[in-house]
Every structure is written in C-alpha cells, then in structure tokens.
Amino acid sequence: MSRLEIKTERLLLRPPTLEDVPAIHAFCDDPDIAWCIVGAPTPYPAEYAEKWVRECAIGLDNEEKYAFLICIPETGEVIGDTMLNLDVRDRRAELGYLLAKSHRGKGYAFEAASAIVDFGFRNLMLNKIYAGVWTANQPSVNVLEKLGFTREGVLRQHDLKWGEFLDDARYGLLRSEWEQR
C-alpha cells in the first residue's frame, strides 16, 4: 500500500492499515457513528473494520478508492475517516467522511473534507465530486454547504436505517466551481 499522506494545518490524513483496526472499530462502534454508515449495524463488529481496511488497500492499489484516516499528528489519534470513491470513466468521485463525536464542532470534518476535495480536483483531475447525506444529518449538510457543494436533489424516504425511512440529499461540486473558490 502506498504511503500517500495529506497534511493540513491541524490534521494528518493517511491510508488505514491493519494496525488501525482497533481504533477504527472503537469509533465506528459508537451508535451515533454507526447511524451515519449505510448498512452498518450496531454494535459494529470488529470484522467490519478489518474488511474495510482491506477494501481500502485494494481500492488504493487499483486507484479506485482513496480512503484516509483523519489523525491528530501530535498524538496519532484516529478521529475519523474521509474518502473518495472514484468513477474513472466519468472523472467523478463520491465523497464520504465520518468524525468521532468527541472531535465534532472543531472544524475537523470541514478541514479533512476540504483537503480530500482539493486532492481530488488537483491530483486526480476529477470533473465532479458528489456526496449523499441524510437530511436528518444537519452537521454533515453544513460541511458540504461550507465546502461550496450545491444541493442537486433529494431522494425522498430513500434509505431505511434502523426502522426509519430517511431522505437522501444529493450534493455536487464541479471542477469549475472549485476553481472559483
């Protein structure tokens, strides 16, 4: 696996390794985090974290998925993750990010997502980055809007999560819009 890393003012984004499985499991096992992950059960099994790390390594090797753990550089603490899932043919990628509850409200999600969006447009030459977010997840909606993403539509009661049908809002940012920021 490549040692691709992205450094921001306060964060280090780096690919996950199998050594990170306990930390990934610990923050994904929080029901508030698992709620944000499509298809994730609670409790969150450790095997899911290991499977995700292995999938990330394959995706990076194939240049189809760029997944990074969000870390505090001084301590190495894993506080979340962010990723781009690529559609190479159409030069677009889906953005995703998660942040541990204890680190929310500090601008870390925006800082990490901004860095990976910049990476996608600069290094991967993407034309569009898009994201889906449940409308009930207002903090995530706020991050996307602060990044300059435009709401392109809402898929009403599109996803069933823990017995509740949720609206899935779709957001997008074009290269031309990113260049104007």
Side-chain angles (χ1 to χ4, degrees):
M1 179 186 285
S2 169
R3 281 308 305 166
L4 176 65
E5 293 181 344
I6 300 172
K7 294 178 181 172
T8 70
E9 185 178 329
R10 301 176 297 160
L11 302 171
L12 172 66
L13 309 181
R14 63 168 179 79
T17 67
L18 289 174
E19 290 141 12
D20 297 310
V21 167
I24 295 166
H25 175 254
F27 90 78
C28 288
D29 197 37
D30 179 328
D32 286 342
I33 296 293
W35 179 82
C36 298
I37 305 170
V38 175
T42 189
Y44 187 86
E47 303 82 55
Y48 276 44
E50 182 176 338
K51 180 181 177 203
W52 181 77
V53 169
R54 292 184 189 283
E55 288 171 355
C56 290
I58 292 167
L60 183 58
D61 288 345
N62 294 335
E63 298 181 344
E64 296 171 342
K65 181 180 205 163
Y66 289 81
F68 299 89
L69 294 179
I70 304 169
C71 304
I72 303 294
E74 296 80 17
T75 63
E77 179 185 8
V78 174
I79 64 168
D81 67 55
T82 186
M83 71 187 79
L84 292 173
N85 288 312
L86 272 62
D87 176 340
V88 177
R89 185 183 68 88
D90 292 321
R91 291 183 38 213
R92 66 180 177 218
E94 183 175 18
L95 169 68
Y97 49 88
L98 290 170
L99 194 65
K101 265 192 316 193
S102 59
H103 292 281
R104 292 180 184 171
K106 301 174 184 176
Y108 290 146
F110 172 78
E111 188 172 332
S114 181
I116 198 168
V117 165
D118 290 350
F119 171 79
F121 285 123
R122 267 195 203 108
N123 299 74
L124 304 177
M125 301 308 295
L126 297 173
N127 182 60
K128 180 178 183 176
I129 297 176
Y130 64 97
V133 60
W134 291 320
T135 56
N137 187 352
Q138 191 59 48
S140 192
V141 168
N142 294 345
V143 168
L144 291 172
E145 290 177 349
K146 188 174 178 183
L147 286 167
F149 279 63
T150 299
R151 183 183 268 193
E152 297 180 338
V154 176
L155 304 171
R156 296 175 306 136
Q157 295 187 6
H158 189 71
D159 295 306
L160 178 63
K161 183 68 176 191
W162 300 349
E164 179 183 359
F165 286 101
L166 299 170
D167 294 345
D168 184 354
R170 297 299 168 133
Y171 283 80
L173 181 65
L174 302 176
R175 168 179 281 286
S176 58
E177 296 165 336
W178 171 78
E179 289 171 341
Q180 292 175 7
R181 289 193 313 174

